[in-house]
Amino acid sequence: MPLITVVTAVHAPGARYLPEAHRSLAEQVLPDGWDWQWVVQEDGETDGVRPHLPEDGRLSFGQGRTGRAGMARTLGLSRARGELVKVLDADDLLTPGALARDIAALTGDGTVGWSTSRALDLLPDGTTVGFDGDPGEGPIERGTVLEHWSAHGFLAQVHPATLCVRRDLLLALGGWMALPASEDTGLLLALDAVSRGWFTACPGLLYRKWPGQVTAAAAHGDGVERAARMGVVRDRARALAATGWTYRGDAAG
């Protein structure tokens, strides 16, 4: 049976949102024959996450030393059994049909190694806000994301929190970058350097805005650290592109 693995990194302050995340996952309708697996990996080894986990045989929970979200997700890959890997942060929600649309994008064209979708900010009052710069639905050619990101103040035109990727390609790139933040952007640009992507215009994610999220912390915007993060993300993407390697599904070369 084909499987899509949903990987969720979580730390104790965000664990209270896990039941909502699970509900959005449990309500997904997948193509015939497909099923999902939910890998939840705590960034830490506390007693604050497990009480919020639902009873579901498709859930695999693990813990590890604190190292930020990138390390937690990469550790979680050790338990991922799906041929596709979907990101879902603990405080976010999938929209109806999100997984089916990712599966369709990645099984419809073997040269497409990853997919993203439109994201809507979910505000504390329950309203949502979209982004005006979304690309049109369809393929994203190699290098397109890096070009846009470089020209628009290190902002990509697609949201890394909506990423779905082929597991073999994800492993070939080493998982998520070893950074205190922007690790998902680093992976997105690495994927863009070696593979075509896909953008789905239908919203696939509700991206929760709340004071405790990592990107709301003052340290996230520290100028010195941000410049270092963006620099290494850029240089890695350029170095990968310079190798000339292109992901071609089962015929990678």
Side-chain angles (χ1 to χ4, degrees):
M1 176 180 293
L3 192 69
I4 182 170
T5 295
V6 178
V7 174
T8 297
V10 62
H11 65 328
R16 61 193 171 106
Y17 294 114
L18 284 171
E20 290 182 68
H22 174 261
R23 191 176 307 117
S24 76
L25 178 54
E27 291 173 352
Q28 296 292 306
V29 177
L30 300 188
D32 289 345
W34 281 80
D35 202 355
W36 55 261
Q37 172 200 20
W38 194 23
V39 171
V40 178
Q41 182 71 29
E42 181 182 358
D43 180 32
E45 299 172 288
T46 74
D47 297 324
V49 173
R50 196 181 295 273
H52 298 278
L53 294 172
E55 292 293 331
D56 193 318
R58 294 167 292 184
L59 166 65
S60 172
F61 175 62
Q63 296 175 301
R65 289 181 289 172
T66 301
R68 301 280 183 164
M71 191 177 84
R73 293 192 198 102
T74 303
L75 277 174
L77 279 180
S78 65
R79 306 193 308 281
R81 297 182 286 107
E83 61 191 76
L84 304 179
V85 176
K86 172 72 172 177
V87 176
L88 177 62
D89 288 344
D91 50 359
D92 292 342
L93 302 171
L94 296 173
T95 63
L99 294 188
R101 291 188 289 271
D102 282 322
I103 291 169
L106 289 168
T107 57
D109 184 340
T111 69
V112 171
W114 53 275
S115 65
T116 54
S117 65
R118 188 169 190 232
L120 301 177
D121 286 347
L122 176 61
L123 305 181
D125 64 1
T127 60
T128 59
V129 177
F131 171 64
D132 293 335
D134 291 322
E137 170 128 6
I140 300 174
E141 300 302 331
R142 286 180 56 195
T144 302
V145 179
L146 176 61
E147 181 180 358
H148 183 282
W149 178 85
S150 300
H152 291 82
F154 305 134
L155 295 175
Q157 74 273 48
V158 294
H159 204 309
T162 69
L163 181 68
C164 187
V165 57
R166 298 183 189 275
R167 183 175 181 270
D168 60 347
L169 176 56
L170 177 59
L171 290 171
L173 293 175
W176 286 264
M177 287 190 75
L179 293 171
S182 307
E183 76 293 329
D184 52 357
T185 298
L187 173 59
L188 175 66
L189 291 180
L191 291 166
D192 171 68
V194 301
S195 172
R196 301 172 78 228
W198 183 272
F199 180 76
T200 299
C202 182
L205 185 76
L206 299 181
Y207 182 78
R208 190 188 303 271
K209 295 286 191 176
W210 62 288
Q213 65 188 139
V214 172
T215 53
H220 185 75
D222 175 81
V224 175
E225 183 193 283
R226 184 172 186 269
R229 296 197 317 263
M230 299 305 103
V232 73
V233 164
R234 178 198 60 223
D235 291 349
R236 180 197 190 203
R238 289 177 175 174
L240 282 167
T243 68
W245 181 74
T246 301
Y247 179 82
R248 297 190 181 93
D250 293 338

